[in-house]
Amino acid sequence: MGKRIAVVGTGALGGYVGGYLAHAGHDVTLIDFWPENIEIIRKRGLELDGVTPEEKFTVTKAKTMHLTEMQDLSRQKPIDIAFVSMKSYDTEWATALIKQYLAPDGYIVSLQNCLNEERIAGIVGWGKTVGMVASLISVDMYEAGKIRRTVSKGGDKHTVFRVGEVHGRITKRVEELREMVGMIDSAKTTTNLWGERWSKLCQNGMKNGVSAATGMTGTDCDRNDAVRRFSIKLGGEAVRVGQALGYHIEKIGKFEPELLARASEDDKAALDEVEAILRPGSNTNPNPRADIQRPSMAQDIIKGRRTEIEFMNGYIAERGNFIGVKAPTHTRLTEIVKKVERKELLPSAALLGG
């Protein structure tokens, strides 16, 4: 018998991964708290799109559930693998909700931004907690039941999915997960989940809030000199905090962590090297959807939703204060994004000196 899979949170990333798995024949139940989203998926399927024609298809094999229908799981086969793909601030209640329907050896996978494994473990225990980092994937749900990927697949150039146990050992279940998501894009198991997580946090910390605060696409943020250097400052501060916390930080996109840190600390040679990579036009394989690509936090601002800024840049600043390594740029950005979120400020490059 195949594994029974539930995806709690059928937004951009949860829907993308869950949709692909269902399309491949896995037993997947998509659970969401947005009624219109579930109803549209039931009526016409989940439409997935990417940057190539092969990535455009409609998923019709996934089961669906409204949040209010989850009690029906008590009369069904238990869940073997539950992906929690909610915003960080919804992690605990979503985990508690699916916990009671897990099989005895079932477990929960954090398929999210930020470091939420500890929150999940607080509900189900460390033994039922697995992490999965989705690196440089960039997907958005632009309408109910419609998800598009706005960057190319990683393939052999970049490993997108990194699956790991919190204790760092390679187990049968993480190998199984790697094989599952490996049919979506490149995947690997990792013995360094926490280093991978912090690397992704550095990456998100440089991009998400910056785009949210300015209202600009990722490419336009990199094109603006002042905004680009603000992002580099964020990256370097995050590296220094992570190093002080003892993480072995993996490569941050195309950057070695130490190079990014030095670039943020007025090392001209390092800054020139980082900027040469960040400036639009430096990529030999330009993104065909660069004109619409926005990180998830910028999408939240457009949709009038709460952001994850406290769990991203705010978390980096808080951890920095805890360990004695200040991250003032993260503190400043957190304050600005909260004001934009509350509509006290309009998004603008000028907010970050641009």
Side-chain angles (χ1 to χ4, degrees):
M1 294 289 289
K3 299 287 187 181
R4 180 131 197 251
I5 300 168
V7 179
V8 186
T10 310
L13 184 55
Y16 184 80
V17 171
Y20 258 94
L21 293 178
H23 194 65
H26 290 282
D27 181 352
V28 177
T29 300
L30 303 176
I31 303 168
D32 204 31
F33 59 94
W34 182 16
E36 183 187 0
N37 190 32
I38 290 297
E39 285 305 309
I40 285 180
I41 294 171
R42 283 178 177 174
K43 288 176 184 175
R44 68 183 188 210
L46 175 60
E47 297 180 30
L48 299 184
D49 195 6
V51 299
T52 62
E54 296 76 23
E55 295 173 70
K56 186 177 180 65
F57 57 88
T58 300
V59 180
T60 58
K61 298 178 181 178
K63 301 170 185 174
T64 54
M65 269 191 174
H66 290 291
L67 197 66
T68 54
E69 298 170 332
M70 283 184 66
Q71 59 185 313
D72 292 344
L73 289 173
S74 65
R75 296 186 290 274
Q76 301 176 17
K77 180 178 177 286
I79 300 298
D80 299 297
I81 305 169
F83 290 91
V84 169
S85 198
M86 306 287 287
K87 294 293 186 182
S88 294
Y89 46 76
D90 287 326
T91 299
E92 284 96 344
W93 70 258
T95 301
L97 204 59
I98 196 66
K99 172 188 175 182
Q100 59 193 308
Y101 305 115
L102 289 177
D105 59 348
Y107 58 93
I108 291 183
V109 181
S110 172
L111 181 62
Q112 303 167 277
N113 284 326
C114 311
L115 279 75
N116 292 305
E117 283 80 3
E118 187 172 358
R119 293 183 182 89
I120 290 171
I123 306 294
V124 296
W126 285 108
K128 286 183 172 288
T129 304
V130 174
M132 181 180 291
V133 178
S135 174
L136 296 180
I137 192 167
S138 194
V139 287
D140 74 270
M141 176 169 269
Y142 59 101
E143 291 180 24
K146 293 185 178 182
I147 298 170
R148 65 189 169 198
R149 184 165 177 166
T150 54
V151 297
S152 300
K153 289 199 174 189
D156 58 0
K157 296 181 179 62
H158 175 78
T159 303
V160 171
F161 295 107
R162 295 105 188 273
V163 189
E165 296 276 10
V166 296
H167 49 60
R169 296 189 297 276
I170 302 300
T171 60
K172 181 180 177 182
R173 67 184 184 182
V174 294
E175 290 283 16
E176 176 184 57
L177 276 171
R178 178 199 55 76
E179 188 176 345
M180 278 185 186
V181 297
M183 51 75 57
I184 305 173
D185 205 333
S186 50
K188 69 176 183 178
T189 54
T190 179
T191 57
N192 184 28
L193 175 65
W194 300 109
E196 293 278 11
R197 273 287 184 219
W198 196 268
S199 173
K200 178 70 185 288
L201 189 65
C202 291
Q203 200 170 67
N204 282 336
M206 290 177 68
K207 299 291 185 181
N208 269 264
V210 170
S211 189
T214 61
M216 300 192 301
T217 65
T219 300
D220 284 340
C221 286
D222 287 340
R223 187 176 284 118
N224 184 296
D225 290 346
V227 173
R228 184 178 61 251
R229 290 182 181 179
F230 190 94
S231 297
I232 292 169
K233 199 77 174 172
L234 290 167
E237 287 180 4
V239 167
R240 292 303 188 215
V241 171
Q243 289 172 337
L245 290 167
Y247 295 122
H248 173 66
I249 306 171
E250 301 284 347
K251 200 169 182 180
I252 303 164
K254 296 181 179 180
F255 305 117
E256 293 296 339
E258 189 59 30
L259 175 69
L260 192 55
R262 294 202 317 271
S264 74
E265 295 164 348
D266 301 322
D267 182 320
K268 187 177 185 308
L271 179 60
D272 288 346
E273 188 175 343
V274 168
E275 290 206 299
I277 295 171
L278 279 180
R279 284 193 189 95
S282 62
N283 191 342
T284 55
N285 295 303
N287 177 7
R289 289 187 166 174
D291 59 329
I292 61 170
Q293 191 277 323
R294 282 179 168 82
S296 58
M297 197 177 295
Q299 297 171 37
D300 291 335
I301 291 294
I302 291 170
K303 295 172 183 176
R305 296 184 61 186
R306 179 183 173 186
T307 72
E308 294 179 291
I309 193 71
E310 303 104 306
F311 297 84
M312 198 171 289
N313 300 88
Y315 180 77
I316 292 168
E318 185 274 322
R319 290 285 84 193
N321 285 334
F322 170 79
I323 203 71
V325 177
K326 298 298 182 185
T329 316
H330 288 272
T331 300
R332 180 182 166 201
L333 182 63
T334 302
E335 293 168 352
I336 290 170
V337 171
K338 289 304 294 182
K339 289 180 179 180
V340 171
E341 183 184 313
R342 293 192 297 262
K343 301 187 186 306
E344 295 171 11
L345 293 172
L346 292 175
S348 168
L351 296 176
L352 305 186

